[in-house]
Amino acid sequence: MEPSFITFLIVCPAVFLASFIDAIAGGGGLISLPAYLVAGLPIHSAIATNKLSSTTGTAFSTARLVKHKYADMKVALPSVLAALVGSVFGANLALHTSERILQIVLVILLPVVAFYVLTRKNLEPEHPFSLKTSTQYTIIVISSLIIGIYDGFYGPGTGTFLLLAFTGLAKMDLRTASGNMKIVNLSSNVAALVTFIFAGKIIWTVGLAASAFSIAGHYLGAGFVMKDGTKIVRPITVVVLALLFIKIVTGLF
């Protein structure tokens, strides 16, 4: 398709806002992917082009957080490998599967996740270091694989799901979980992006323009996290999950 000026007018501001939110708590795809669809991109091209802009932006926020030691690098490599494998599988699955199947699954899953978030005082684990290191790393790797599959297949909410898994299941502190979440999310984005590039599904003019806005949003969002912005992670996470659920339910009917 040949994008119009309206396409850029819809996509670019939405991608900036999505990237800012994504750098803080994940879930930015909830805003950016619908923006691509509203702008008129076919579903597979929307998912693929969204991967391009989200990957470039995520790379900047990840680099900034890692530079300031917001991550446990010992577990980063195995979780990255797991995310890569999962995302490639998910992206290939997306090219051959109806979106409706995933919508039905998430309609069941999201209320459970939302209830979990709402009933916790915060996202910090009650006993951050109560797990054995080997157990914690195993949970992180398995979570990265499973959520990586979801990210390659569809994407919105990936960062939020990773953050919940790393803090709630693996008992990581929120600061470290935020950094590792970005590393894993970037890896799954890259794997899916490469798959979609080879499939020829990306609208490059729109994707590259949106990438500039994505970089700006992620850069500002990462800076917000480092200024103790993690205090608003929970409310943003709750809002993201609620909006994602509404979007999926309305898409079914």
Side-chain angles (χ1 to χ4, degrees), residues 109-140:
L109 174 65
L110 285 175
V112 177
V113 177
F115 177 79
Y116 174 82
V117 177
L118 287 169
T119 54
R120 291 179 65 89
K121 293 181 179 180
N122 52 57
L123 285 174
E124 290 280 10
E126 296 178 4
H127 305 288
F129 305 106
S130 60
L131 294 179
K132 291 182 180 180
T133 301
S134 59
T135 302
Q136 184 183 57
Y137 285 10
T138 299
I139 292 173
I140 291 172

Side-chain angles (χ1 to χ4, degrees), residues 10-117:
I10 293 172
V11 169
C12 292
V15 167
F16 173 81
L17 176 60
S19 300
F20 181 81
I21 293 174
D22 200 60
I24 299 172
L30 169 64
I31 298 173
S32 60
L33 182 55
Y36 283 106
L37 294 171
V38 169
L41 274 68
I43 180 63
H44 285 101
S45 292
I47 294 175
T49 308
N50 184 53
K51 283 300 176 190
L52 173 60
S53 59
S54 64
T55 299
T56 53
T58 301
F60 274 76
S61 63
T62 301
R64 194 173 185 189
L65 291 176
V66 170
K67 178 182 178 181
H68 290 83
K69 303 186 185 304
Y70 275 65
D72 180 352
M73 299 307 296
K74 292 181 180 178
V75 72
L77 180 58
S79 60
V80 161
L81 293 176
L84 289 172
V85 172
S87 186
V88 169
F89 176 79
N92 279 285
L93 194 62
L95 294 171
H96 300 89
T97 306
S98 169
E99 178 189 4
R100 186 174 178 83
I101 296 176
L102 183 62
Q103 289 177 320
I104 294 172
V105 172
L106 289 185
V107 164
I108 299 172
L109 174 65
L110 285 175
V112 177
V113 177
F115 177 79
Y116 174 82
V117 177

Side-chain angles (χ1 to χ4, degrees), residues 136-192:
Q136 184 183 57
Y137 285 10
T138 299
I139 292 173
I140 291 172
V141 170
I142 293 176
S143 298
S144 299
L145 175 65
I146 295 173
I147 299 174
I149 293 174
Y150 165 76
D151 191 28
F153 187 66
Y154 192 58
T158 295
T160 304
F161 295 147
L162 285 169
L163 196 61
L164 289 171
F166 290 176
T167 57
L169 299 178
K171 306 300 182 184
M172 295 182 79
D173 64 277
L174 189 55
R175 172 191 171 109
T176 305
S178 296
N180 278 78
M181 175 267 284
K182 298 310 298 182
I183 293 173
V184 173
N185 200 4
L186 175 62
S187 303
S188 62
N189 275 343
V190 169

